[in-house]
Amino acid sequence: MKKMSVVPASAFNLNCSTIASDKSISHRCAMFSLLSDQKSTIENFLLGEDTLASLNIAQQLGATVTRNGSYVEITPPKELQEPSDVLDCGNAGTAIRLYVGLLSGIDGYFVLSGDKYLRARPMKRVVNPLISIGAKIDGRANGNLAPLTVRGGALEAFRYHSSIDSAQVKSAMILSALRAKEKSYYKENLLSRDHTERMLLGMGAEISFLTDGYIEIMPLTSPLKPLNIRVPSDPSSGFFFAVASAIIPNSTILLENLTLNKTRVEAYKILQDMGAKVEFIQKENIYEPIGDIRVSYNGKLSSVSVNSNIAWLIDELPALSIAMAMAKGTSKVSNAKELRVKESDRISCVLENLNRCGIETKEYEDGYEIVGGVIHKAIIDSFGDHRIAMSFAIAGLVDGMDIEDIECIETSFPNFIEILKEITEVL
Ligand code: S3P
């Protein structure tokens, strides 16, 4: 088990152009290239374990993949092939849930699995709606747990109003709708990250947004145009360093070329509400608004209450909790039950580790309270969750930190420690 020790930092001023490429968009690049009949070219593909798993699966399904560093070319097969082995999604919920949707309408037999953490995460959120339109899917615990088996075949069109705001569920259903017999409709209460809609529209899919909140999806009648895309940097990965500059006096960081999609930058706005100086600098618009975010220390942070637009900051809540632990007053997070079914139960894992650092907390079923104070050095368990490991590495900039089980950082942000070393010593 790999460990790291983070040494307290003093003020830093950094321009950072090497934040990891966006994980959500990279997964979709690997998968959606299979919907074309021509070669897709992807620059700046995330070389994390999660997204490389998606790329391997594309290959197992018959695509020819050539990769030169983070530049990837994907030539899809004429027809997707039945793989001869299990499709290993590693730690990636996005890989397994989206591929289940994509494959449920493809002729063939597919087995999808992943690591012990992924095999413990609920799949019925995609399995149930897919079964209701005729998909033949099964798995452990009545189809709720991987390994999942998919026997692809004909799918009915659907009209589905989802009770959870999940881009993974929405994307799985949109991908299945592309193979359904007629046009389908999908609705969610809060717009979850919309990379799937944006990218498929760019590839020529017929997707419309109706005034009653439903997305209308027409089945594919011919292959889509290929993707030619440069993946922006991931604001969820950049956010660890945003928190670092908000809590270390007199620090500032410029995070370059992130997606500024509003469903992805809500945590930066909360950090701004807490008192940090945050500037958004949009530079271009390719599938998504893309630009830089500058975050600067602006005095001690104030406490905050977070209870809305949760899907827009769900991945950033562990790092935001570090900012809350350093703020004046008690912060509260609610309506965030989804945190319990991420790579770990992020409510109990964040609170357990904050308590080890001497921070007082209160746990609720759907959230928590954090009493701001000073984070002290402790021994942290990542619980195999990349975002817990990286959040507490940032917490260590205050008084030092020993973090155990850090291999998981490779899933989403392989150069995290390299960037951290520009701020402090990491042993
Ligand atoms: C993702 C959607 C979110 C997010 C995950 C990536 C995606 O999950 O937490 O890290 O790429 O679609 P949910 O859709 O389950 O909320």
Side-chain angles (χ1 to χ4, degrees):
M1 204 166 60
K2 254 169 81 181
K3 300 175 183 184
M4 73 169 148
S5 293
V6 177
V7 169
S10 44
F12 61 90
N13 182 340
L14 202 64
N15 282 10
C16 191
S17 61
T18 53
I19 294 295
S21 306
D22 193 78
K23 182 151 77 80
S24 292
I25 297 176
S26 295
H27 274 301
R28 286 161 174 78
C29 285
M31 296 171 192
F32 298 176
S33 61
L34 300 174
L35 304 173
S36 179
D37 57 352
Q38 294 162 59
K39 180 168 77 184
S40 285
T41 57
I42 298 132
E43 280 178 66
N44 209 32
F45 185 85
L46 172 62
L47 301 178
E49 287 171 356
D50 274 16
T51 46
L52 288 173
S54 277
L55 200 56
N56 273 338
I57 292 174
Q59 236 165 341
Q60 282 178 278
L61 295 169
T64 305
V65 175
T66 55
R67 188 165 72 74
N68 184 355
S70 62
Y71 175 74
V72 181
E73 293 183 348
I74 307 174
T75 308
K78 275 207 170 58
E79 278 186 8
L80 293 190
Q81 291 163 17
E82 183 179 75
S84 57
D85 205 347
V86 173
L87 303 174
D88 182 1
C89 301
N91 188 245
T94 304
I96 194 163
R97 294 195 179 117
L98 270 64
Y99 267 124
V100 166
L102 190 150
L103 294 173
S104 59
I106 305 282
D107 276 341
Y109 176 70
F110 310 94
V111 184
L112 298 106
S113 195
D115 69 11
K116 66 177 180 188
Y117 302 105
L118 189 64
R119 280 182 272 119
R121 293 180 65 187
M123 294 298 144
K124 65 171 188 279
R125 55 184 57 203
V126 289
V127 169
N128 286 356
L130 287 168
I131 285 180
S132 77
I133 61 168
K136 295 188 187 64
I137 307 174
D138 210 344
R140 293 182 302 130
N142 281 325
N144 190 33
L145 298 178
L148 296 178
T149 58
V150 179
R151 163 73 62 193
L155 299 175
E156 301 298 330
F158 61 85
R159 187 177 184 86
Y160 185 66
H161 186 165
S162 177
S163 58
I164 45 174
D165 307 318
S166 159
Q168 293 177 354
V169 176
K170 173 174 62 177
S171 304
M173 294 310 288
I174 290 177
L175 290 168
S176 72
L178 296 177
R179 306 278 172 191
K181 289 181 188 147
E182 284 176 70
K183 58 185 169 197
S184 297
Y185 298 87
Y186 185 90
K187 182 173 174 166
E188 57 192 343
N189 295 322
L190 171 74
L191 175 74
S192 62
R193 66 189 66 190
D194 57 355
H195 310 299
T196 294
E197 299 91 301
R198 287 170 184 265
M199 291 170 69
L200 291 178
L201 271 172
M203 295 173 78
E206 284 185 64
I207 295 178
S208 327
F209 305 94
L210 307 183
T211 49
D212 60 2
Y214 275 92
I215 306 173
E216 181 184 84
I217 311 115
M218 298 293 282
L220 291 185
T221 49
S222 56
L224 294 175
K225 287 183 284 189
L227 280 165
N228 291 300
I229 185 173
R230 179 176 172 80
V231 181
S233 287
D234 194 318
S236 309
S237 296
F239 194 67
F240 298 108
F241 293 102
V243 170
S245 15
I247 62 174
I248 301 299
N250 305 320
S251 296
T252 184
I253 193 159
L254 181 73
L255 302 162
E256 297 178 21
N257 302 320
L258 311 174
T259 168
L260 299 182
N261 184 318
K262 74 167 181 193
T263 65
R264 301 294 305 279
V265 295
E266 185 76 359
Y268 291 85
K269 295 184 180 159
I270 301 290
L271 208 52
Q272 196 168 36
D273 291 346
M274 294 175 79
K277 189 165 176 223
V278 180
E279 294 162 79
F280 297 91
I281 309 140
Q282 187 176 329
K283 298 197 298 200
E284 50 187 342
N285 202 322
I286 310 165
Y287 296 100
E288 311 257 335
I290 293 168
D292 302 344
I293 305 181
R294 188 191 304 280
V295 181
S296 311
Y297 181 84
N298 193 24
K300 194 165 172 65
L301 296 171
S302 307
S303 59
V304 71
S305 189
V306 179
N307 52 31
S308 58
N309 295 344
I310 295 296
W312 294 0
L313 46 63
I314 194 84
D315 290 344
E316 292 75 27
L317 278 170
L320 196 57
S321 301
I322 302 303
M324 291 172 173
M326 289 296 291
K328 204 166 26 184
T330 301
S331 294
K332 185 162 185 183
V333 175
S334 40
N335 297 324
K337 208 168 65 210
E338 273 295 298
L339 276 178
R340 294 207 181 267
V341 290
K342 291 295 175 187
E343 285 82 330
S344 67
D345 174 342
R346 285 187 176 154
I347 296 183
S348 70
C349 295
V350 165
L351 299 191
E352 149 88 39
N353 281 320
L354 280 178
N355 294 157
R356 292 185 192 190
C357 299
I359 298 292
E360 220 182 289
T361 62
K362 215 185 234 176
E363 180 168 354
Y364 301 99
E365 189 45 36
D366 73 334
Y368 49 90
E369 274 177 25
I370 295 175
V371 183
V374 175
I375 296 177
H376 290 295
K377 183 172 183 176
I379 298 173
I380 297 300
D381 186 347
S382 76
F383 297 98
D385 184 332
H386 56 136
R387 297 204 198 278
I388 303 281
M390 291 186 276
S391 297
F392 282 86
I394 295 302
L397 297 175
V398 177
D399 185 38
M401 203 68 80
D402 293 324
I403 302 135
E404 300 192 325
D405 194 5
I406 60 163
E407 284 90 346
C408 48
I409 292 174
E410 291 293 320
T411 61
S412 67
F413 202 166
N415 61 329
F416 172 79
I417 295 176
E418 218 172 280
I419 300 176
L420 191 61
K421 282 182 175 167
E422 293 186 42
I423 296 178
T424 192
E425 217 178 314
V426 182
L427 313 166

